[in-house]
Amino acid sequence: MSQNRSSANIGVVGLAVMGSNLARNLASREGNTVAVYNRSPQRTRTLVEEHPEAGFVASESIEAFVDSLAKPRTAIVMVQAGSGTDAVIEQLAGLFEDGDIIVDGGNANFHDTIRREKDLRERGLNFVGAGISGGEEGALRGPSIMPGGSAEAYETLGPILASIAAVAEGEPCVTHVGTDGAGHFVKMIHNGIEYADMQLIAESYDLLRRVGGHDVDAIADVFAAWNKGDLESYLIEITAEVLRQKDAATGGPLVDVIRDEAGSKGTGVWTVQNSVGLGVPVGGIAEAVFARAVSSKPQQRAAVQATVESRPEIQQPGDNFEDDVAAALYASKMVAYAQGFDAIIAGAREYGWDIRLGNIAKIWRGGCIIRARFLNRIVEAYDNDPNLATLLEDPYFAAAVRDGEAAWRRIVATAALSGIPVPGFSSALAYYDSLASERLPAALIQGQRDFFGAHTYRRIDRDGVFHTLWSGDRSEIETEPSTH
């Protein structure tokens, strides 16, 4: 173990794969000296032994780790979210001094981050919740980083994070998102969009295979071709790689021997829960979450399948079916991102964050899981008009949806007639149609609510709030808005 005390400008606590890779990334950048500590000393020893080139300042106790940090002390916590994070934060807080910085680089719930930041601020410490996207490879090679916390903390932390972040269009993929929990909130929305994106890609694969009749290798070629155009993205790229992978035991496609039960770590669920609370419709993300939940209910699926006597015949694919699927995918993807940015806008308003939407799109262009060519269009949209009511009103997005709308409808109709579930495509189209409709049946719902609960309604022809005396003479009266 190195004994060069008080020399490290940054430390990492928690040396599982993500923490170890982040520490190695930090150590590889000029100007950084990295202190490392893990509750299990053997993991620390292994990292130091395997990577002598990193010059880690290693410690076997939390006290020695703190002593190894130059002031203002800055430590990134990379442990499992929850009580373990709280325990490490409390250990560090008991040893840190005024102005020192504790960074939580895990997938914390942003409500916890708000609580932790307030507590540590009252104790004279800076706490930063930083969303880090890119997985194991991103942590090592250059992730997209979404830090919250105070502007004071970012003065010290910003250059360090910029040194390790991915670079896109010559800019590091890191920005000070906003105060307290803003960084983890934006990372949560990022993950929600990721859920939607993955679901739409999976539906595209299913349609190409079951309606298009393509074998898996041919579908891999389709995704590889798509990755050279407007759909270029990390997820499209790795989809082709996954589909090309062969199973060693059977010789067939690996995808055919993987159980069709998708897992989840909760950030997609958090996105839906918090968006509902903020009054933001994120149907594309919600349907992606629900699709994973349905896939993971084998007993229910088997029970229903046992009752089925026949299934719809698969429709014949129309001309240019692959192009139709691509157009539906692109349009649905636009909706998912529009909904995600709507949630960011609502969150910023609710929690008092000054979030620059164009900057968020910029830092997602590299390093993160949803990095894509498409994000440059979002940057341009918010550069042109930072106050867009929705991304779908931007001229580029509006034109792209118009161009793909007919194909989008054909794909959803074909899937429905074939009995192939496409909840991502369908919900995205329904959302677009809802926004595009001059009048919605919500008027009837308000009438129903007023009938059974006196919830009141507003009229289209005059101001005020009204209630019909449904149990009386059914005359209409002007009243106060319902509070329930």
Side-chain angles (χ1 to χ4, degrees), residues 207 210-214 314-322 324 414:
L207 287 163
R210 293 213 267 169
V211 177
H214 297 326
I314 300 296
Q315 300 294 296
Q316 288 297 312
D319 294 337
N320 303 314
F321 181 70
E322 291 175 11
D324 276 3
T414 298

Side-chain angles (χ1 to χ4, degrees), residues 158-435:
I160 298 172
L161 297 182
S163 75
I164 64 166
V167 175
E169 312 275 331
E171 298 177 287
C173 293
V174 59
T175 190
H176 184 216
V177 175
T179 55
D180 55 59
H184 276 145
F185 180 88
V186 167
K187 175 56 162 59
M188 175 190 74
I189 300 298
H190 165 284
N191 286 20
I193 294 171
E194 178 185 309
Y195 272 60
D197 214 343
M198 293 173 71
Q199 176 65 27
L200 293 169
I201 289 171
E203 291 176 15
S204 300
Y205 154 77
D206 204 23
L207 287 163
L208 291 171
R209 192 164 191 184
R210 293 213 267 169
V211 177
H214 297 326
D215 63 28
V216 175
D217 287 336
I219 299 172
D221 291 340
V222 170
F223 277 97
W226 286 352
N227 200 45
K228 297 176 181 177
D230 287 338
L231 284 168
E232 179 190 346
S233 71
Y234 173 72
L235 285 171
I236 293 288
E237 175 188 346
I238 68 167
T239 296
E241 294 299 316
V242 171
L243 292 174
R244 287 199 174 102
Q245 183 66 25
K246 302 302 181 186
D247 174 49
T250 65
L254 177 65
V255 72
D256 284 348
V257 298
I258 298 175
R259 287 191 182 186
D260 58 339
E261 300 173 15
S264 167
K265 287 191 174 180
T267 45
V269 175
W270 292 349
T271 301
V272 176
Q273 290 172 334
N274 284 282
S275 296
V276 169
L278 292 167
V280 179
V282 291
I285 297 170
E287 289 297 342
V289 171
F290 298 152
R292 292 194 189 190
V294 170
S295 77
S296 299
K297 297 289 185 291
Q299 290 181 325
Q300 291 182 356
R301 292 170 61 188
V304 171
Q305 289 163 24
T307 70
V308 173
E309 294 182 355
S310 64
R311 295 287 291 150
E313 290 187 11
I314 300 296
Q315 300 294 296
Q316 288 297 312
D319 294 337
N320 303 314
F321 181 70
E322 291 175 11
D323 293 338
D324 276 3
V325 175
L329 175 57
Y330 198 47
S332 299
K333 183 185 179 82
M334 290 180 185
V335 167
Y337 279 75
Q339 292 177 346
F341 275 88
D342 287 348
I344 292 174
I345 292 168
R349 186 182 302 119
E350 176 72 15
Y351 298 102
W353 299 321
D354 181 17
I355 298 179
R356 307 297 174 89
L357 301 174
N359 288 350
I360 300 306
K362 282 183 179 179
I363 66 171
W364 286 352
R365 293 179 302 178
C368 71
I369 303 301
I370 61 172
R371 60 185 183 265
R373 176 186 298 188
F374 175 85
L375 283 154
N376 279 318
R377 299 297 189 180
I378 299 179
V379 173
E380 292 166 4
Y382 284 117
D383 280 349
N384 292 334
D385 184 357
N387 299 310
L388 288 169
T390 169
L391 270 175
L392 299 179
E393 74 166 319
D394 173 78
Y396 172 82
F397 288 87
V401 170
R402 282 195 303 271
D403 292 345
E405 185 177 349
W408 198 5
R409 296 188 188 283
R410 284 194 295 270
I411 288 300
V412 171
T414 298
L417 291 170
S418 301
I420 296 174
V422 287
F425 285 157
S426 300
S427 68
L429 181 58
Y431 176 80
Y432 173 74
D433 282 337
S434 294
L435 293 181

